[in-house]
């Protein structure tokens, strides 16, 4: 099959989802109102609560939720064939991810910017909330530790990405000053920022930075890991407008340009999909497609991490409630487009089926490397950009996205640590909570040795934990909507499916960890499974109670929302 057909169909489905389905959600389900006073105005503090232009906030939200996961998940899952991955990414983006991200953003905005963990206490119960916080903490620990390892590996394997990776920080700080201090026109700032970023990519491609094998007594990978965590800790306590927002915004523009190059090259070259639609000859040891496909591809279809970002940082910066549709739903569409690009790059970026099978020789193979190499080959063939520069562009894209997710993740994990401390009656300041996050993440990362490989120890549980969290977030939305007597089927159907496949996957992994004698993952799997089942029961009770209680109507339930788009001005 020609990859151009896949690209056109996939893009058309996601655009239609935003234009049609998200409009229905905004008007009939969440009833977004431009007149609602958002937490960014009510609680404005210039640090975390900052009213933000929806395009800049979209850049922050999109790049924070994307990271490397929408590349890694699809790039691994194509081992079962490109068609199952394609269907889950496209349908998941339209009916699952967009609704989940928009909904969690709306829920937090309607509750003064509270996180999903805090909302669980109000809508599910105190016991469920404590277990919910455990799941969120473990998920953020996995993301921060694993992404540090992934970024460090890319900086070592692709030294041409070093200069643009760190140079982008300088560009971001200058953009923040230009927007908020100098009040420059946003389109002008955007053009200048993108030009500067791509100039850094060209410079990096010409001047690769290769570290010696040992730096300050650490391996090159370990040195980059420590530097990344120090950077993330500093970035996580700065006011969001100084670095977080402008960095994520310019990275979002850079990613869309990179995707434009990839999809443009597909339009010109129209490479054939060399991988099978359904792979009936999977390597020995490959698990079954059901349910593992649906937890291997998390980001890019639906991801619980998105709800943590929506309620942790994005909700505190939303200027108007009606902006939630663009920031939340269209943010999920952007990630879906990245996941679709990863599928095409890793199945049409090889010359022959034999070349593809040589890379996908075992489950878990492929990943970012297959995306960078396959995508680089397509861009080189279609646009004539040298293969090394094409690879640098895609590698830089992957690094920048993983880094933005990581610095947002450290900020979010600090919030969770402070919430957990409040549960036990202790109040932690920003510096202490950040230090705790740094110590825990570094301890896990270096727990298996000085090479930092410990950061990947608990990664096998990421997919299932992430999807469990998505299901629990949907449970909160279902309770909220049931109380307001709003339509709940758009939430309940994905809720049941996601919880089923994720609990099923946890049980399967439980047997695998037991057979392998992996006691750390076995214990964590049991903890997550118990927490999930407990919160599911609590959610079912809360949902039934909400169905029987008097309706919790507010002003929006008495009137039609303003504007045909569920708000104003989109």
């Amino acid at each position: 099959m020609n990859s151009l057909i896949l690209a056109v169909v996939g893009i058309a489905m996601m655009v239609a989802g935003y234009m049609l389905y998200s409009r229905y959600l905004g008007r009939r389900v969440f009833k977004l109102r431009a007149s609602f006073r958002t937490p960014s105005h009510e609680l404005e503090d210039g640090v975390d609560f900052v009213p933000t232009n929806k395009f800049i906030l979209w850049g922050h939200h999109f790049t924070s939720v994307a990271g490397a996961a929408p590349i890694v998940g699809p790039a691994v899952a194509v081992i079962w064939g490109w068609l199952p991955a394609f269907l889950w990414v496209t349908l998941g983006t339209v009916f699952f991810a967009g609704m989940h991200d928009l909904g969690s953003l709306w829920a937090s905005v309607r509750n003064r910017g509270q996180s999903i963990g805090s909302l669980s206490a109000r809508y599910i119960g105190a016991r469920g909330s404590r277990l919910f916080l455990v799941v969120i903490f473990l998920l953020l620990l996995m993301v921060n530790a694993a992404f540090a390892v992934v970024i460090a590996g890319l900086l070592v394997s692709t030294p041409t990405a070093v200069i643009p990776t760190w140079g982008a920080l300088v560009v971001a700080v200058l953009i923040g000053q230009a927007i908020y201090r100098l009040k420059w026109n946003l389109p002008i700032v955007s053009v200048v920022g993108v030009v500067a970023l791509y100039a850094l990519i060209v410079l990096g491609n010409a001047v690769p930075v290769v570290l010696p094998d040992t730096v300050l007594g650490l391996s090159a990978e370990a040195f980059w890991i420590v530097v990344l965590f120090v950077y993330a800790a500093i970035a996580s306590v700065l006011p969001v407008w100084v670095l977080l927002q402008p960095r994520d915004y310019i990275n979002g523009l850079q990613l869309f340009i990179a995707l434009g190059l990839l999809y443009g090259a597909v339009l010109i070259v129209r490479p054939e999909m060399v991988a099978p639609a359904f792979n009936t000859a999977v390597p020995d040891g490959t698990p079954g497609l059901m349910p593992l496909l649906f937890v291997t591809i998390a980001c890019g279809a639906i991801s619980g991490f998105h709800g943590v970002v929506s309620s942790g940082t994005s909700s505190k910066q939303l200027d108007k409630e009606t902006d939630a549709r663009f920031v939340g739903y269209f943010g999920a569409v952007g990630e879906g487009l990245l996941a679709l690009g990863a599928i095409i790059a890793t199945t049409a970026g090889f010359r022959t089926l034999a070349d593809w099978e040589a890379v996908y020789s075992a489950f878990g193979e492929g990943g970012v490397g297959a995306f960078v190499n396959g995508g680089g080959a397509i861009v080189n063939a279609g646009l004539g950009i040298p293969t090394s520069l094409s690879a640098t562009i895609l590698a830089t894209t992957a690094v920048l996205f993983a880094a933005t997710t990581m610095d947002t993740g450290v900020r979010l994990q600090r919030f969770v640590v402070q919430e957990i401390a409040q549960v036990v009656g202790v109040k932690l300041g920003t510096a202490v909570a950040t230090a705790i996050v740094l110590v825990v993440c570094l301890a896990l990362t270096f727990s298996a040795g000085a090479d930092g490989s410990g950061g990947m120890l608990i990664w096998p549980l990421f997919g299932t934990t992430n999807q469990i969290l998505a299901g629990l977030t949907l449970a909160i939305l279902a309770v909220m909507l049931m109380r307001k007597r709003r339509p709940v089927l758009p939430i309940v159907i994905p809720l049941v499916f996601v919880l089923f496949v994720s609990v099923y996957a946890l049980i399967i992994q439980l047997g695998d960890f037991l057979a392998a004698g992996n006691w750390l993952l076995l214990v964590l799997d049991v903890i997550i499974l118990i927490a999930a089942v407990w919160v599911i029961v609590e959610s079912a009770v809360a949902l039934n109670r909400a169905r029987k209680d008097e309706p919790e109507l507010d002003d929006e339930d008495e009137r039609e929302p303003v504007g045909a788009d569920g708000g104003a001005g989109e």
Side-chain angles (χ1 to χ4, degrees), residues 161-235:
V162 173
I163 287 178
T165 294
W166 296 108
L169 299 181
V170 178
V171 174
V173 170
L174 293 176
I175 287 175
Q177 294 297 316
I179 293 174
Y180 288 99
R181 296 285 192 189
L182 304 178
K183 307 297 182 181
W184 283 14
N185 181 272
L186 183 59
I188 294 176
V189 174
S190 303
V191 171
V192 172
V194 168
V195 170
L197 188 56
Y198 271 86
L200 287 170
I201 291 175
V202 173
L203 177 63
N205 190 63
V207 187
V209 178
V210 181
L211 294 183
D213 293 338
T214 304
V215 183
L216 300 177
L218 300 171
S219 67
E221 290 88 348
F223 174 78
W224 282 130
I225 288 171
V226 172
V227 170
L228 284 163
F229 272 116
V230 171
Y231 152 73
I234 295 172

Side-chain angles (χ1 to χ4, degrees), residues 97-109:
M99 175 274 297
H100 169 277
D101 293 13
L102 168 58
S104 53
L105 186 53
W106 165 79
S108 180
V109 166

Side-chain angles (χ1 to χ4, degrees), residues 368-418:
V368 175
F371 168 75
V372 170
N373 294 328
I378 293 174
V379 172
N380 170 251
L383 303 178
I385 299 176
T387 302
S388 62
L389 181 56
S390 301
T392 299
I393 292 172
L394 295 178
T396 301
T397 299
V399 169
L400 291 179
F401 267 63
T404 54
T405 299
M406 187 179 165
D407 56 29
T408 300
V410 170
R411 185 182 290 259
L412 292 170
Q413 196 168 9
R414 182 239 301 171
F415 292 157
V416 172
V417 167
Q418 290 174 313

Side-chain angles (χ1 to χ4, degrees), residues 334-381:
E335 187 174 60
L337 292 173
L338 178 57
L340 176 60
I343 292 171
I344 292 173
T346 55
T347 54
F350 294 85
R351 292 183 179 275
T352 65
L353 176 60
D355 291 339
W356 182 82
E357 289 176 335
V359 172
Y360 286 87
S361 58
F363 181 70
E365 297 299 319
V368 175
F371 168 75
V372 170
N373 294 328
I378 293 174
V379 172
N380 170 251

Side-chain angles (χ1 to χ4, degrees), residues 35 56 63 76 116 229 238 389 407 436 506 508 543 566:
S35 59
I56 296 175
T63 54
V76 169
I116 285 296
F229 272 116
L238 291 174
L389 181 56
D407 56 29
I436 291 173
L506 273 175
I508 289 176
L543 193 59

